[in-house]
Amino acid sequence: MTELDRRTLLRAGLVAGAGVAGGALLGGPGAIAGPAWRPAGRPVLTHGVQSGDAAADSAVVWTRADRPGRMLVEVSRRPDFRGIRQVRGPVLTPDTDFTGKVRLRGLPSAERLHYRVRVESLDRPGLASAPLSGSLTTAPATHSRRDVRFVWTGDIAGQGWGIAPDFGGMSIFRAMRQRRPDFFLCSGDTVYADNPLTETVTLPDGRVWRNLVVPEKLKVAESLSEFRGQFAYNLLDAHLRAFVAEVPQVNQWDDHEVTNNWYPGEVLTDARYTERRVDVLAARARRAFDEWLPTPQRGPLYRRLSYGPLLDLFVLDMRTYKDPNDGNTYADPGRGLLGAEQRAWLIRELTRSRATWKVIAIDLPLGLVVPDGPDAQEGVAQGDPGAPAGRELEFAQVLAAAHRARVTGIVFLTADVHYTAAHHYDPARAAVADFTPFWEFVSGPAHAGAFGPNALDGTFGPRAVFVHAPPLANTSPAEGFQHFGEVHIDAETAALTVHLRDRTGTSLWTTTLPTP
């Protein structure tokens, strides 16, 4: 990979040492503006390259430039780029914050491919940026039985813990990169738009955590520019940039892309906000999310991705259609986190799937109680171990429909609660019997305060088989307790092995699920 070095970032006006950078990351006070201004020299790719949603024959490639220009992508089976194919991408403009992405089509399946990206000046045709290169692995085709390996986590730069060079930056991404996964599932909280940073934080042992800080991270995000700045900030970390240049992502969102525990229609009472209509904030956040991540083109965030005959991945959206947070004990089956259309889609796609394993990516855990203040609930569960109530109703419906259709191999993956755990669910322990036993694996945070453990709700009969949580709330990344999970599906046996790992990549716990 061609490194995006500190000199390049400085030229683009995007880096300072520990403390506050002198100018804004993206527009705003301190940024160069005005229609007459044109950057000198050749274009610069300011935040590296990324890929995402890699299918058997296609993948999305992303970059950002420092000025308007035409995005050009070359792809090859070889790292020396012999036999390249070039794809003309979009013109990058201020309307998308000079970000752009291209879906490469007609790719060979189950191969590691190499790509490089340039942006050509609109003012001076032929003058292009230095190329940045990356790689990605395409998914196996429908009938191609290959090993599948991926990692997942969530919760990036939260609770005041930003990029601290003295503590090694976001080193968990180096550990995940060393696992050489086929793809990375980010289970939400891709940024923390509601968690401003301070320059320093004194740790319990007296050491000082020194954040790299930029203007967009000094307050809660409200404007489009501030939401964009959350994603730009994370990409200042060298470990993250190197990881996303080599590993395709599958991203879902949760609450902190907007604000803590949000739901549609909410009006905030938080005095830090001048714009308190959550729907307005969420629209800006979703635009920044789509611009700054290698997601598919705008549309529903819930989707199914297939990785040959062994794996179908169902990525859910538990925010966009979420009902208001309350006591979560209602009997109305029309309410919930998914909405009627997404719920029907999930049932339909699960019953149609012929993959050995059906992994459901949820951005809120199924059985853990996640309070929103003293009287309301943020997640699925509410702590009553009896019959399904509130948001449990829609998941009881999904599990029952899958059970009746004899769907097997369901596994849930999530993050959100800032510790790692393995939960086994069994109707023999549950208040409801109409489902097939399954596992839920929790892993996080990637780089944020560590918390937990949360209480388990007994409705679906969960048992905590493994838990690794800190002794104190908001334990810093300097103390460890940062986690990711790894899934490996063996091509020969179709067994699924899960490792729950710490930030160094050390396996804390593992299990192998036999072929269902």
Side-chain angles (χ1 to χ4, degrees), residues 36 137 147 172-173 177 207 224 233 246 261 319 369 410 428 435 484 502:
T137 301
D147 279 24
I172 196 169
F173 290 101
R177 181 185 174 203
R207 291 178 296 169
L224 176 58
Y233 175 80
E246 293 186 9
N261 295 349
R319 282 292 152 188
V369 180
I410 289 178
F435 70 91
F484 70 95
D502 67 13

Side-chain angles (χ1 to χ4, degrees), residues 188-496:
D189 294 339
T190 53
V191 297
Y192 274 75
D194 59 331
N195 283 193
L197 299 177
T198 58
E199 291 186 47
T200 61
V201 182
T202 301
L203 302 175
D205 62 4
R207 291 178 296 169
V208 177
W209 178 281
R210 300 183 187 279
N211 282 315
L212 171 64
V213 181
V214 297
E216 289 84 354
K217 294 296 294 183
L218 293 175
K219 63 179 290 294
V220 295
E222 299 178 83
S223 68
L224 176 58
S225 177
E226 289 165 348
F227 281 111
R228 287 165 166 169
Q230 310 305 305
F231 296 91
Y233 175 80
N234 286 357
L235 287 170
L236 295 180
D237 182 77
H239 299 305
L240 177 59
R241 286 199 313 277
F243 177 66
V244 299
E246 293 186 9
V247 181
Q249 304 165 57
V250 177
N251 285 289
Q252 56 189 150
W253 73 345
D254 191 28
D255 55 334
H256 292 288
E257 286 83 358
V258 182
T259 192
N260 189 48
N261 295 349
W262 73 275
Y263 52 83
E266 183 181 8
V267 177
L268 300 176
T269 58
D270 189 333
R272 298 177 301 168
Y273 288 86
T274 56
E275 175 54 77
R276 298 187 178 182
R277 295 169 295 173
V278 163
D279 289 353
V280 173
L281 297 173
R284 293 169 182 167
R286 174 63 195 275
R287 179 170 172 179
F289 181 94
D290 285 334
E291 289 173 344
W292 276 84
L293 292 174
T295 57
Q297 296 302 317
R298 288 188 180 184
L301 284 173
Y302 63 87
R303 57 207 188 274
R304 167 182 164 184
L305 294 92
S306 294
Y307 297 87
L310 295 179
L311 173 64
D312 276 348
L313 177 65
F314 300 85
V315 182
L316 302 191
D317 176 1
M318 301 168 78
R319 282 292 152 188
T320 304
Y321 316 100
K322 189 176 193 279
D323 63 344
N325 291 345
D326 57 17
N328 195 25
T329 58
Y330 54 79
D332 181 359
R335 291 182 58 181
L337 295 166
L338 303 180
E341 184 176 329
Q342 182 177 192
R343 189 184 316 136
W345 167 86
L346 178 58
I347 292 171
R348 182 177 65 250
E349 294 301 311
L350 282 172
T351 56
R352 287 178 177 176
S353 173
R354 295 297 175 262
T356 304
W357 296 100
K358 296 89 175 169
V359 171
I360 303 177
I362 51 176
D363 48 282
L364 286 165
L366 187 61
L368 291 171
V369 180
V370 185
D372 182 18
D375 302 315
Q377 297 297 329
E378 155 74 349
V380 178
Q382 75 291 96
D384 182 346
R391 294 163 178 159
E392 294 169 336
L393 292 169
E394 65 180 347
F395 282 93
Q397 180 184 351
V398 170
L399 293 171
H403 180 67
R404 289 193 296 268
R406 299 184 178 181
V407 175
T408 59
I410 289 178
V411 173
F412 287 86
L413 299 182
T414 190
D416 186 66
V417 288
H418 295 241
Y419 66 96
T420 192
H423 304 143
H424 183 257
Y425 292 76
D426 194 319
R429 298 186 294 264
V432 56
D434 196 13
F435 70 91
T436 303
F438 64 90
W439 285 85
E440 174 187 54
F441 299 104
V442 183
S443 207
H447 188 86
F451 292 83
N454 292 39
L456 272 171
D457 183 310
T459 296
F460 295 110
R463 179 168 63 93
V465 179
F466 175 79
V467 174
H468 189 250
L472 298 173
N474 200 20
T475 294
S476 80
E479 308 302 322
F481 296 99
Q482 310 292 292
H483 307 103
F484 70 95
E486 178 182 352
V487 174
H488 172 240
I489 305 175
D490 184 84
E492 291 188 13
T493 66
L496 183 149

